Each structure stands twice: as structure tokens, then as C-alpha cells.
Amino acid sequence: MTEFWLISAPGEKTCQQTWDKMLAATTRPNVLSTNHKFSIPDLKVGTLDVLVGLSDELAKLDSFVEGVVKKVAQYMADVLEDSRDKVQENLLANGVDLVTYITRFQWDMAKYPIKQSLKNISEIISKQVTQIDNDLKTRALAYNNLKGNLQNLERKNAGSLLTRSLADIVKKDDFVLDSEYLITLLVVVPKTSYPEWQKTYETLAEMVVPRSSNLLFEDNDSGLLSVTLFRKAIDDFKHKARENKFTVRDFQYNEEEMKADKEEMTRLSTDKKKQFGPLVRWLKVNFSEAFIAWIHIKALRVFVESVLRYGLPVNFQAMLLQPNKKNMKKLREVLNDLYKHLDSSAAAIIDSAMDIPGLNLSQQEYYPYVYYKIDCNLLDFKP
């Protein structure tokens, strides 16, 4: 399970007591969740008005940053292409896997100084993640263009003989070149029609050079054959060939153009390899930055919401629960029993919702205790 529930409840006589009570309720007699204390430092509270406004701003910032974290993770998967199974090992926060980072969360005093106001800290995070988002767009655009151009060229060099580039198939010797009267055409003939071609090609137009057809290349279905004829017979030959289901490729032998195509492909391939390493490094570093910022926002939200709900002086215990998948419903019930005295209206809503099948409370998940979900499954696919 990569889902965590970050909750808080007011300190009883001590915060340790709050923790012990929750631990007992969720692990005895059955283990419903794996639990960790979630340490939030003494942040500056500010005024109630500021906290109310900040509560809404942080909700928006939370979903924005989560979106950026997912974008960076997904783009990492796209860039790694065939090595997608390596994605997870590249998605680290501060050098450790995400579960370890969350369960051992420590506030980063250097990045987000707690002497600053809550609003300032949220603005620092917002600026930092907006910068990552903008940089990602720029880098992804450049790399995707390069990759797209290379794929187009690769596509040209693969596929059926009717459409693929012929530059790496034909040689100079296959053509009559620099003749005022003669020209060599290239024709795609289905393998099943080889006998038909041999029988008829010399008579498809009046001025075909006898015995001038050679097989240059074959794929699974067809062959590429050359044939030499007088220039003035080109149109007639093409027309008759089409009637016989032979396809004349529109191709002129041009060494310079073919060389330029090959060089372009080599250049793009080299550029892609050159950019790959630095891009993956950038994604790793900025995934870590964005993810760390995201968990700090969760901590800010728990702090703000706990002060708004439980009042001053600041006295609450933040706790991180990793639910056992089979017991999620039971865990929710146990927590509601444990904390329903905190907010009787929330408890009433939940009790009535449990009696109405199909009623979905998740649009605005509200419980008697402070609750935020953290889902570490950030990719659209399972590696």
C-alpha cells in the first residue's frame, strides 16, 4: 500500500498520551495500520484571519504541487522508455525511497526557515515548484521535438517498401545516371506477382530496355525491382504498372540528399544520447525537490488546520498511518469512534453517510479529526 493517512488530534494531558491511545486503538486486537509520529516544528501561528485564508490557499497549492510531482514522475517514465522498470528506483526524495522519506519526515529548516511566517513559507514553496514546472515544460518540449524528429526518420527507414526510405537499400550501380534518354525506375512488386512481373514488365510500355529488371531488396511481402526505360515512356509505364498492381516508387537517385538524410539521423541520434543523461539527472533532482515541497505543504496544512480546529495554545499530535488495505473501512470506523467527541456534527454526518449506501463523502472528506491523504503511487502504469 502506498497510501498514507496524515491525521492529527489534540494533545490530551500530553501529546504522548494522544499517540499511545491512537496506537492502542489501531493495533489491538488487530493491526489496522502501521503508524509513525509525524514531527512538525513550532511554526509561527499568526492571526486567525491569516490562518483561515491560508487554509484555502494551501489546499490549492497542495493539488498544484501534487500535479507537478506526478508530471515529473510520469515524464521520467516516458524518457526512460524501455527501462520503465527502473523508474521507481529513480524516484527518490533526499536520496531515500518515498515511503522512508515520509515515515521519517524531518522539516528542512534550511529550505523553509520556521522563523518566517506561514504565508512566506507557502510562497517560497509556490515559487520553487512553479519554477520546476516551467523548466519541465521547456526541457520536455526540446527533448520531445528531438525524439519526434528522430522517430519520423526512423519510421521512414522502416515499414513497408511502399513507404520506407530507400536510401539505405539502393546503390549507385543500380541506376542508369546522367543519360539524356534513359531512366531507371524502382517498382514494388508483391512476392506473389513475381512471375507476372517477369512475364510482362518488358511490354508494359513501348520503350522498356529488355532484361533490365533486377531484384534489389525484399521484405516479408514484396520486392523492390529496378527497370530501365526511355524517359518518354515513363507516364505510359506507370499507368500500365498501376493496372497490374505494381507500384512505381517516386524516387530519384541523389547522393547528396541521401548522405544528408543519413547524417541528420546520426546527428539526431547523437543529440538524443547526449541530452538523455543530463535530462534524467535533472528529473531526479527536481522530482526530489518537488516531492519534498509537497510533504512540507501537507505538514503546513496539518498545522494550520489543527490550530483552527483545536485552538490555542498549539497542542496537537500529528500522526502518519499506513492503512492495511483490507482494513481501511474498519480503520476509519475505529478513528471515528476514537475522535467523534472532537466534532459531533462531523461524527453525525459520517454516521448518517454510513447508513446511506452509495453516498460519496469524498468530494470534501471531513472527519472529526484533521485528515489528509498522501498517495505515493504517482504513475499511471504499474512498473
Side-chain angles (χ1 to χ4, degrees), residues 80-92:
L80 287 174
E81 294 175 33
D82 301 336
S83 316
R84 281 182 158 222
D85 51 336
K86 302 272 193 297
V87 178
Q88 223 59 52
E89 66 197 53
N90 283 297
L91 298 179
L92 303 174

Side-chain angles (χ1 to χ4, degrees), residues 45-69:
V45 177
T47 66
L48 198 60
D49 281 358
V50 169
L51 287 183
V52 171
L54 198 55
S55 178
D56 288 343
E57 282 170 35
L58 285 171
K60 288 177 194 144
L61 188 56
D62 187 346
S63 58
F64 166 67
V65 176
E66 182 180 0
V68 173
V69 167

Side-chain angles (χ1 to χ4, degrees), residues 232-291:
K232 57 169 77 170
I234 288 176
D235 289 344
D236 199 19
F237 184 87
K238 280 184 176 175
H239 178 68
K240 287 278 175 22
R242 200 162 41 246
E243 281 180 0
N244 283 275
K245 305 220 167 22
F246 309 139
T247 309
V248 178
R249 283 287 305 261
D250 189 12
F251 180 86
Q252 283 183 324
Y253 186 86
N254 182 322
E255 223 155 355
E256 253 96 70
E257 263 179 40
M258 283 157 56
K259 191 175 160 207
D261 270 4
K262 277 182 187 167
E263 282 170 359
E264 175 69 353
M265 190 147 168
T266 308
R267 184 186 69 75
L268 289 172
S269 186
T270 308
D271 277 3
K272 187 183 168 201
K273 280 181 193 138
K274 257 193 218 156
Q275 286 191 26
F276 176 81
L279 179 59
V280 170
R281 274 194 298 282
W282 184 90
L283 288 166
K284 280 171 77 165
V285 167
N286 286 278
F287 172 81
S288 174
E289 292 295 306
F291 189 85

Side-chain angles (χ1 to χ4, degrees), residues 341-356:
H341 64 282
L342 297 175
D343 186 339
S344 51
S345 61
I349 293 170
I350 287 155
D351 289 341
S352 64
M354 283 178 176
D355 297 337
I356 306 169

